[in-house]
Amino acid sequence: MKKVLVVEDESSIRSFVVINLKRSGYEPIEAATGEQAFEQVRLNPDIKVAILDIMLPDTDGFEVCRRLRASHPKMGIIMLTARTQEMDKITGLMTGADDYVTKPFSPAELTARIDALYRRVGGDEEEVTELVRGPFKLNTRNRTLEKNGERIKLTQVEFSIIKLFMENPGKALSRDEILNAVWGKDYYGEVKIVDVNIRRLRLKIEDDPTNPTYITTVWGHGYKWGY
Ligand code: CA
Protein backbone atom coordinates (compact mmCIF):
# COMPACT_ATOMS: atom_id res chain seq x y z
CA MET A 1 0.00 0.00 0.00
CA LYS A 2 1.11 3.54 -0.72
CA LYS A 3 1.22 5.21 2.67
CA VAL A 4 0.66 8.94 3.09
CA LEU A 5 1.16 10.68 6.44
CA VAL A 6 -1.59 13.23 7.18
CA VAL A 7 -0.64 15.70 9.91
CA GLU A 8 -3.61 17.94 10.72
CA ASP A 9 -5.10 18.79 14.12
CA GLU A 10 -8.55 19.77 12.81
CA SER A 11 -10.35 16.45 12.71
CA SER A 12 -12.91 17.55 10.08
CA ILE A 13 -10.18 18.49 7.59
CA ARG A 14 -8.16 15.39 8.49
CA SER A 15 -11.16 13.12 7.83
CA PHE A 16 -11.84 14.89 4.53
CA VAL A 17 -8.26 14.27 3.41
CA VAL A 18 -8.25 10.69 4.72
CA ILE A 19 -11.50 9.74 2.93
CA ASN A 20 -10.25 11.15 -0.35
CA LEU A 21 -6.85 9.47 -0.05
CA LYS A 22 -8.55 6.12 0.54
CA ARG A 23 -10.78 6.65 -2.49
CA SER A 24 -7.66 7.29 -4.57
CA GLY A 25 -5.96 4.08 -3.49
CA TYR A 26 -3.66 5.39 -0.77
CA GLU A 27 -3.31 4.28 2.85
CA PRO A 28 -3.51 7.38 5.04
CA ILE A 29 -1.59 7.40 8.34
CA GLU A 30 -3.06 10.01 10.68
CA ALA A 31 -1.42 12.36 13.16
CA ALA A 32 -2.96 15.32 15.04
CA THR A 33 0.27 16.73 16.49
CA GLY A 34 3.94 17.00 15.59
CA GLU A 35 4.86 14.37 18.17
CA GLN A 36 2.32 11.94 16.74
CA ALA A 37 3.76 12.61 13.30
CA PHE A 38 7.28 11.61 14.35
CA GLU A 39 5.90 8.56 16.16
CA GLN A 40 3.98 7.46 13.04
CA VAL A 41 7.08 7.85 10.88
CA ARG A 42 9.00 5.66 13.35
CA LEU A 43 6.25 3.02 13.18
CA ASN A 44 5.83 3.29 9.37
CA PRO A 45 9.26 3.65 7.79
CA ASP A 46 7.70 3.08 4.35
CA ILE A 47 5.80 6.40 4.35
CA LYS A 48 6.91 8.18 1.18
CA VAL A 49 4.70 11.28 1.18
CA ALA A 50 3.58 13.54 4.04
CA ILE A 51 0.88 16.23 4.10
CA LEU A 52 1.60 18.79 6.82
CA ASP A 53 -0.74 21.40 8.24
CA ILE A 54 1.13 24.52 9.41
CA MET A 55 -0.73 25.43 12.63
CA LEU A 56 -0.39 22.50 15.02
CA PRO A 57 -0.97 22.48 18.79
CA ASP A 58 2.54 21.48 19.86
CA THR A 59 4.71 22.79 17.05
CA ASP A 60 4.27 24.02 13.49
CA GLY A 61 4.35 22.26 10.15
CA PHE A 62 7.62 23.96 9.19
CA GLU A 63 9.40 22.44 12.18
CA VAL A 64 7.89 19.03 11.40
CA CYS A 65 9.05 19.49 7.80
CA ARG A 66 12.62 20.39 8.86
CA ARG A 67 12.89 17.38 11.17
CA LEU A 68 11.33 14.96 8.66
CA ARG A 69 13.58 16.30 5.94
CA ALA A 70 16.65 15.77 8.16
CA SER A 71 15.82 12.14 8.88
CA HIS A 72 14.08 11.28 5.56
CA PRO A 73 15.71 13.28 2.77
CA LYS A 74 13.70 11.52 0.05
CA MET A 75 10.23 11.89 1.57
CA GLY A 76 7.80 13.97 -0.50
CA ILE A 77 6.31 16.77 1.62
CA ILE A 78 3.22 18.86 0.87
CA MET A 79 2.31 21.78 3.16
CA LEU A 80 -1.35 22.64 3.80
CA THR A 81 -1.72 26.39 4.19
CA ALA A 82 -4.81 28.11 5.53
CA ARG A 83 -4.47 31.70 4.44
CA THR A 84 -2.80 33.54 1.59
CA GLN A 85 -0.91 35.69 4.14
CA GLU A 86 1.09 32.61 4.97
CA MET A 87 2.48 32.68 1.46
CA ASP A 88 5.47 34.83 2.39
CA LYS A 89 6.34 32.57 5.26
CA ILE A 90 6.07 29.62 2.95
CA THR A 91 8.33 31.09 0.33
CA GLY A 92 10.98 31.65 2.99
CA LEU A 93 10.55 28.50 4.97
CA MET A 94 9.49 25.99 2.44
CA THR A 95 13.06 25.01 1.64
CA GLY A 96 12.27 21.51 2.84
CA ALA A 97 8.79 21.12 1.32
CA ASP A 98 8.14 19.95 -2.22
CA ASP A 99 4.75 21.52 -2.73
CA TYR A 100 1.92 23.29 -0.95
CA VAL A 101 -1.87 23.35 -1.23
CA THR A 102 -4.01 26.27 -0.04
CA LYS A 103 -7.19 25.61 1.93
CA PRO A 104 -9.91 25.25 0.87
CA PHE A 105 -8.76 22.73 -1.69
CA SER A 106 -10.61 20.25 -3.86
CA PRO A 107 -10.00 16.51 -3.42
CA ALA A 108 -8.97 16.31 -7.09
CA GLU A 109 -6.34 19.00 -6.60
CA LEU A 110 -4.81 17.34 -3.55
CA THR A 111 -4.86 13.89 -5.15
CA ALA A 112 -3.18 15.19 -8.30
CA ARG A 113 -0.37 16.73 -6.22
CA ILE A 114 0.11 13.54 -4.24
CA ASP A 115 0.11 11.41 -7.41
CA ALA A 116 2.76 13.68 -8.92
CA LEU A 117 4.94 13.56 -5.80
CA TYR A 118 4.57 9.81 -5.51
CA ARG A 119 5.69 9.41 -9.10
CA ARG A 120 8.82 11.44 -8.30
CA VAL A 121 9.78 10.03 -4.91
CA GLY A 122 8.53 6.48 -5.28
CA GLY A 123 10.40 5.84 -8.50
CA ASP A 124 13.21 3.57 -7.37
CA GLU A 125 11.09 1.00 -5.54
CA GLU A 126 7.56 0.89 -6.85
CA GLU A 127 6.59 2.68 -10.01
CA VAL A 128 3.15 4.24 -9.78
CA THR A 129 1.24 2.64 -12.62
CA GLU A 130 -2.28 3.08 -11.32
CA LEU A 131 -4.39 6.22 -11.40
CA VAL A 132 -7.69 6.12 -9.50
CA ARG A 133 -10.32 8.81 -10.04
CA GLY A 134 -13.80 8.15 -8.71
CA PRO A 135 -15.09 4.90 -10.25
CA PHE A 136 -12.20 4.72 -12.71
CA LYS A 137 -8.91 2.87 -12.39
CA LEU A 138 -6.28 3.37 -15.06
CA ASN A 139 -3.32 1.02 -15.31
CA THR A 140 -0.55 2.64 -17.36
CA ARG A 141 1.56 -0.50 -17.55
CA ASN A 142 -1.14 -2.70 -19.11
CA ARG A 143 -2.88 0.30 -20.70
CA THR A 144 -6.25 -0.74 -19.32
CA LEU A 145 -9.19 1.15 -17.85
CA GLU A 146 -11.74 -0.14 -15.36
CA LYS A 147 -14.97 1.49 -14.25
CA ASN A 148 -16.37 0.11 -11.00
CA GLY A 149 -14.09 -2.90 -11.46
CA GLU A 150 -15.24 -3.66 -15.02
CA ARG A 151 -12.85 -3.43 -17.93
CA ILE A 152 -13.68 -0.88 -20.64
CA LYS A 153 -12.22 -1.65 -24.06
CA LEU A 154 -10.37 1.34 -25.47
CA THR A 155 -8.35 2.08 -28.57
CA GLN A 156 -4.76 3.24 -28.01
CA VAL A 157 -5.78 6.80 -28.82
CA GLU A 158 -8.75 6.71 -26.45
CA PHE A 159 -6.48 5.36 -23.73
CA SER A 160 -3.99 8.19 -24.28
CA ILE A 161 -6.78 10.78 -24.10
CA ILE A 162 -8.25 9.46 -20.86
CA LYS A 163 -4.77 9.16 -19.33
CA LEU A 164 -4.17 12.83 -20.16
CA PHE A 165 -7.47 13.78 -18.52
CA MET A 166 -6.91 11.67 -15.40
CA GLU A 167 -3.44 13.15 -14.96
CA ASN A 168 -4.94 16.66 -15.13
CA PRO A 169 -8.14 16.54 -13.05
CA GLY A 170 -10.17 19.74 -13.05
CA LYS A 171 -7.96 21.38 -15.67
CA ALA A 172 -9.50 22.70 -18.88
CA LEU A 173 -7.51 21.28 -21.80
CA SER A 174 -7.76 22.94 -25.20
CA ARG A 175 -8.28 20.88 -28.36
CA ASP A 176 -4.75 21.81 -29.46
CA GLU A 177 -3.25 20.68 -26.14
CA ILE A 178 -5.04 17.34 -26.45
CA LEU A 179 -4.00 17.01 -30.09
CA ASN A 180 -0.33 17.72 -29.28
CA ALA A 181 -0.25 15.40 -26.27
CA VAL A 182 -1.99 12.46 -27.95
CA TRP A 183 -1.20 12.68 -31.67
CA GLY A 184 2.09 14.57 -31.36
CA LYS A 185 3.18 17.97 -32.58
CA ASP A 186 3.80 16.69 -36.11
CA TYR A 187 0.19 15.70 -36.70
CA TYR A 188 -1.24 17.73 -39.55
CA GLY A 189 -4.80 16.42 -39.51
CA GLU A 190 -7.83 18.32 -38.38
CA VAL A 191 -8.40 19.23 -34.77
CA LYS A 192 -11.91 17.77 -35.21
CA ILE A 193 -10.39 14.35 -34.65
CA VAL A 194 -10.26 15.28 -30.96
CA ASP A 195 -14.02 15.83 -30.83
CA VAL A 196 -14.71 12.61 -32.69
CA ASN A 197 -12.61 10.55 -30.29
CA ILE A 198 -14.08 12.23 -27.24
CA ARG A 199 -17.60 11.56 -28.49
CA ARG A 200 -16.70 7.88 -28.80
CA LEU A 201 -14.95 7.84 -25.44
CA ARG A 202 -18.03 9.32 -23.78
CA LEU A 203 -20.17 6.51 -25.18
CA LYS A 204 -17.86 4.07 -23.42
CA ILE A 205 -17.29 5.74 -20.06
CA GLU A 206 -20.17 8.09 -19.26
CA ASP A 207 -23.20 6.96 -17.23
CA ASP A 208 -25.32 9.04 -19.65
CA PRO A 209 -23.34 10.00 -22.77
CA THR A 210 -25.89 12.69 -23.71
CA ASN A 211 -25.26 14.38 -20.37
CA PRO A 212 -21.55 13.79 -19.72
CA THR A 213 -20.23 14.34 -16.20
CA TYR A 214 -16.69 12.89 -16.41
CA ILE A 215 -15.48 14.54 -19.61
CA THR A 216 -17.22 17.89 -19.69
CA THR A 217 -17.16 20.45 -22.48
CA VAL A 218 -15.49 23.81 -21.88
CA TRP A 219 -17.25 25.97 -24.46
CA GLY A 220 -14.98 27.70 -26.95
CA HIS A 221 -11.92 25.97 -25.48
CA GLY A 222 -11.92 22.23 -25.15
CA TYR A 223 -12.63 19.64 -22.48
CA LYS A 224 -12.14 19.00 -18.79
CA TRP A 225 -11.99 15.89 -16.60
CA GLY A 226 -14.71 16.78 -14.13
CA TYR A 227 -14.01 14.28 -11.39
CA1 CA B 1 -4.25 23.36 12.21
Side-chain angles (χ1 to χ4, degrees):
M1 273 301 259
K2 300 179 286 181
K3 290 182 181 173
V4 175
L5 177 67
V6 182
V7 188
E8 165 65 79
D9 57 316
E10 274 174 68
S11 57
S12 58
I13 300 177
R14 199 172 64 240
S15 313
F16 173 75
V17 172
V18 161
I19 287 165
N20 284 291
L21 283 176
K22 282 184 182 162
R23 276 207 334 225
S24 300
Y26 290 101
E27 183 185 345
I29 307 291
E30 298 181 52
T33 65
E35 273 320 304
Q36 284 179 18
F38 299 123
E39 181 60 19
Q40 290 288 24
V41 170
R42 270 192 294 275
L43 295 172
N44 300 277
D46 51 340
I47 291 174
K48 290 215 179 96
V49 169
I51 301 166
L52 308 178
D53 182 35
I54 291 175
M55 306 294 219
L56 295 168
D58 58 340
T59 177
D60 63 57
F62 299 119
E63 182 56 27
V64 177
C65 178
R66 268 190 294 274
R67 284 181 57 185
L68 283 182
R69 187 48 86 226
S71 56
H72 297 76
K74 286 177 75 182
M75 186 179 284
I77 298 176
I78 299 174
M79 307 297 291
L80 282 186
T81 76
R83 285 162 280 126
T84 43
Q85 292 97 290
E86 285 176 347
M87 285 291 292
D88 287 348
K89 254 162 89 183
I90 288 163
T91 318
L93 292 169
M94 134 175 194
T95 47
D98 298 288
D99 204 352
Y100 64 87
V101 172
T102 307
K103 295 179 196 170
F105 49 87
S106 72
E109 184 187 0
L110 186 66
T111 307
R113 306 287 189 91
I114 295 169
D115 289 348
L117 253 191
Y118 236 98
R119 271 197 297 276
R120 262 190 284 154
V121 302
D124 49 356
E125 283 164 48
E126 46 175 323
E127 192 193 342
V128 176
T129 54
E130 243 179 38
L131 272 178
V132 182
R133 302 268 184 261
F136 297 99
K137 191 156 87 179
L138 189 85
N139 185 311
T140 54
R141 185 176 291 156
N142 307 334
R143 292 180 73 84
T144 56
L145 178 74
E146 285 178 11
K147 181 182 181 186
N148 296 318
E150 281 187 33
R151 178 80 64 88
I152 295 176
K153 280 195 174 161
L154 298 178
T155 66
Q156 291 297 322
V157 161
E158 288 164 352
F159 179 86
S160 299
I161 293 173
I162 199 153
K163 177 166 175 278
L164 179 68
F165 279 124
M166 288 175 74
E167 285 172 344
N168 295 279
K171 187 180 170 203
L173 299 169
S174 72
R175 288 178 175 80
D176 283 328
E177 278 177 274
I178 298 168
L179 194 69
N180 284 338
V182 175
W183 282 267
K185 287 195 165 51
D186 298 329
Y187 181 79
Y188 286 108
E190 274 195 75
V191 80
K192 268 235 166 303
I193 192 157
V194 173
D195 302 307
V196 173
N197 271 278
I198 283 177
R199 204 179 310 147
R200 217 170 47 214
L201 197 47
R202 277 173 168 164
L203 290 173
K204 295 184 179 183
I205 67 160
E206 294 284 349
D207 303 333
D208 174 8
T210 58
N211 182 25
T213 53
Y214 300 115
I215 300 176
T216 55
T217 301
V218 182
W219 294 108
H221 183 72
Y223 299 95
K224 184 169 90 169
W225 182 255
Y227 204 90

